[in-house]
Amino acid sequence: MTDDTNSSNAMWGGRFAAGPDAIMEAINASISFDKRLYAQDIRGSRAHAAMLAATGILTNSDAEAIGEGLLTVLSEIEAGDFPFSTALEDIHMNVEARLKALIGEPAGRLHTARSRNDQVATDFRLWVRDQADAAITSLTALMKVLVAQAEKGADWVMPGFTHLQTAQPVTWGHHMMAYVEMFARDRSRFEDARKRMNECPLGSAALAGTGFPIDRHMTAQALGFDRPMANSLDGVSDRDFALEFLSAAAICSVHLSRLAEELVIWSSAQFRFVAMSDKWSTGSSIMPQKRNPDAAELIRAKIGRVLGAAVALFTVMKGLPLAYSKDMQEDKEQVFDAADTLMLALAAMTGMMSDLTVNTAKLEAAASSGFSTATDLADWLVREAGLPFREAHHVTGSLVALAEKKGCDLPDLSLEELKSAHPALTEAVYSVLGVHNSVASRQSYGGTAPDQVRAQVARWQGLLA
Ligand code: ARG
């Protein structure tokens, strides 16, 4: 609901004879999106009013009326019967105007020693801080699901790829744990960003601070911040906390998108490594056999929105002189959309990964083809026959060519055929040509051997408990 009037703005219109042009109002107003900050705005205002009373700037009775009135506004908004007004521009002035209607004169004292500049900076920080917490929680849930997958499949053998060509056998658990490491770094990026953003801009006022004897430590503490920001110009001017959130979100989206792409490939008819549950697939309206991995595809695509939001806000902020400029009102929609997108993608990925069925026979068959143990053969020649690796590589290459010509795999070659490539090859080499021996041999720290994977699983189970 809007109540567009042609009079000047009730909040700042003292020097204006007429109201804004309708198009001016349309470009200027942010209420259509910044209403999402209502809870943070009311929380910030209540902390501010309590501080104004504690420092003797407001009377206790005025501050109480304000505090109570703000709670009424909060419940009206939450009940969905709040008359949002475009003429009142943004959430800050909508709330204040409603407060005035509810409690009268004391409402006009709330804005003492404060400006919308520090108000919006505070509200938005509170909102982004909540989103960083939500991202940390969601990432933890996803990591737990991936660790559980890794534990189940610590010794399921699958092809490891480079260039999407079969490279060497790896374990399913190893592959899952690779993503656990990536998402763990994403989580720590949100944790770092949260720590840095946890300083309070409130009390910076318009830009220069205020002559009123405010207590910025009190409001900072009331709002859960570690301390007030130390420079009022910085307090109202910077949005690096939002940029950090978007940067962390963009990197996390890249990781989600890569895993999503693997799910698309793995669930294809050509691979059949995994099957998505009914809950996470869709059918085709024309091709009855289809089972489409839509959620994975959409996660893969959504990186565009998150990255786009980051680029948009970086572009808004670059080149802005200190202190506040209205440009900065453009921060919110980008961050809102990126945060919504990220949370949805994280939830969908967590659901898909926990419901995933893995076709271990398919994995193993694929791991056993494509000469995946050629490196093991070359390593054997180095280890057992003392060949330089380059020569061993060459000998193995000739055996791959021979197997390819015969249409078989390396373990299918006869001992004579092996010996024709190099006389040092003996019966014993067959043991390293099997995929299970191959993965079991990769015991280097962080390697794909089931023992190594189980050690990493145990480490993460401890960390995530
Ligand atoms: N809606 C504005 C924003 O989001 C609030 C701050 C307005 N400050 C000002 N000086 N006009 O940035």
Side-chain angles (χ1 to χ4, degrees):
M1 183 179 146
T2 56
D3 76 346
D4 302 303
T5 61
N6 199 27
S7 56
S8 70
N9 189 291
M11 297 290 153
W12 46 250
R15 60 167 295 189
F16 291 83
D21 187 276
I23 292 172
M24 172 59 196
E25 194 172 285
I27 195 172
N28 197 35
S30 53
I31 189 62
S32 64
F33 50 88
D34 69 15
K35 59 169 91 149
R36 276 185 84 164
L37 298 177
Y38 73 90
Q40 289 76 14
D41 191 67
I42 289 170
R43 187 175 171 200
S45 288
R46 281 172 51 83
H48 182 66
M51 180 278 291
L52 291 178
T55 50
I57 300 167
L58 279 196
T59 64
N60 283 333
S61 67
D62 279 351
E64 264 162 44
I66 290 170
E68 286 300 307
L70 284 169
L71 287 183
T72 306
V73 176
L74 180 66
S75 56
E76 285 179 356
I77 295 177
E78 276 172 355
D81 57 8
F82 186 89
F84 288 111
S85 155
T86 308
L88 288 167
E89 282 183 39
D90 57 25
I91 186 63
H92 324 293
M93 297 203 294
N94 270 268
V95 168
E96 194 184 317
R98 182 65 190 143
L99 184 67
K100 176 103 189 293
L102 287 168
I103 69 167
E105 196 248 22
R109 301 183 189 279
L110 169 61
H111 216 49
T112 313
R114 157 180 108 164
S115 147
R116 269 190 297 157
N117 297 350
D118 59 336
Q119 190 179 355
V120 72
T122 304
D123 296 358
F124 197 37
R125 251 176 214 256
L126 288 171
W127 195 90
V128 176
R129 190 178 72 182
D130 282 349
Q131 294 301 308
D133 286 337
I136 290 164
T137 305
S138 298
L139 278 163
T140 304
L142 175 56
M143 288 162 70
K144 283 184 178 168
V145 164
L146 293 171
V147 169
Q149 278 285 356
E151 187 179 28
K152 258 197 307 190
D155 51 14
W156 297 346
V157 181
M158 66 182 283
F161 300 95
T162 59
H163 315 265
L164 198 54
Q165 308 283 322
T166 300
Q168 294 173 354
V170 296
T171 49
W172 173 261
H174 195 47
H175 203 116
M176 292 297 108
M177 293 308 289
Y179 282 104
V180 170
E181 296 291 333
M182 291 178 238
F183 291 126
R185 287 194 297 276
D186 291 334
R187 195 176 64 159
S188 77
R189 269 183 278 275
F190 284 112
E191 285 164 352
D192 286 348
R194 191 203 194 282
K195 262 181 237 149
R196 253 187 307 280
M197 79 176 71
N198 206 29
E199 293 188 342
C200 187
L202 194 59
S204 298
L207 74 167
T210 174
F212 290 99
I214 59 171
D215 182 350
R216 292 194 57 208
H217 294 273
M218 182 180 167
T219 41
Q221 198 189 6
L223 297 171
F225 289 107
D226 294 331
R227 62 192 78 82
M229 290 181 76
N231 183 301
S232 62
L233 287 168
D234 177 40
V236 296
S237 295
D238 212 344
R239 293 293 182 267
D240 58 354
F241 64 97
L243 293 172
E244 276 200 68
F245 175 82
L246 290 174
S247 304
I251 298 173
C252 180
S253 302
V254 170
H255 291 150
L256 284 168
S257 180
R258 294 184 72 173
L259 179 52
E261 165 70 355
E262 302 213 281
L263 291 174
V264 171
I265 294 173
W266 293 346
S267 62
S268 70
Q270 288 69 24
F271 275 74
R272 287 274 179 264
F273 285 2
V274 301
M276 235 80 91
S277 80
D278 285 357
K279 284 199 275 180
W280 299 102
S281 335
T282 57
S284 156
S285 51
I286 176 168
M287 296 166 283
Q289 85 283 11
K290 288 296 277 295
R291 218 179 141 71
N292 295 327
D294 290 32
E297 295 170 80
L298 288 164
I299 292 170
R300 184 174 63 181
K302 280 180 187 294
I303 171 67
R305 300 169 72 124
V306 179
L307 198 53
V311 171
L313 188 54
F314 274 106
T315 312
V316 166
M317 294 307 297
K318 74 165 281 296
L320 282 188
L322 304 189
Y324 177 86
S325 296
K326 193 68 173 244
D327 308 51
M328 286 153 68
Q329 180 166 287
E330 287 292 309
D331 56 1
K332 283 172 266 318
E333 280 171 294
Q334 303 299 338
V335 177
F336 290 162
D337 186 67
D340 291 346
T341 303
L342 180 71
M343 299 313 155
L344 186 59
L346 283 168
M349 184 57 88
T350 304
M352 266 194 306
M353 290 309 296
S354 66
D355 287 353
L356 200 67
T357 308
V358 182
N359 187 337
T360 54
K362 268 276 185 198
L363 285 186
E364 184 159 337
S368 308
S369 70
F371 314 109
S372 66
T373 54
T375 315
D376 298 83
L377 175 51
D379 287 349
W380 187 93
L381 283 165
V382 171
R383 216 173 39 243
E384 306 295 328
L387 265 63
F389 181 77
R390 283 291 158 228
E391 190 186 339
H393 184 284
H394 194 80
V395 170
T396 308
S398 71
L399 286 169
V400 168
L402 176 63
E404 216 160 24
K405 207 168 88 197
K406 292 188 61 187
C408 68
D409 275 310
L410 286 174
D412 306 322
L413 294 174
S414 71
L415 189 56
E416 292 72 62
E417 285 167 330
L418 294 181
K419 279 192 180 299
S420 72
H422 199 282
L425 284 162
T426 69
E427 189 74 38
V429 79
Y430 285 102
S431 73
V432 303
L433 297 182
V435 291
H436 286 282
N437 286 336
S438 169
V439 295
S441 74
R442 294 209 154 66
Q443 289 283 359
S444 52
Y445 177 81
T448 203
D451 291 347
Q452 290 297 324
V453 172
R454 288 201 182 91
Q456 294 299 329
V457 165
R459 180 171 75 89
W460 276 111
Q461 281 171 335
L463 290 169
L464 294 169

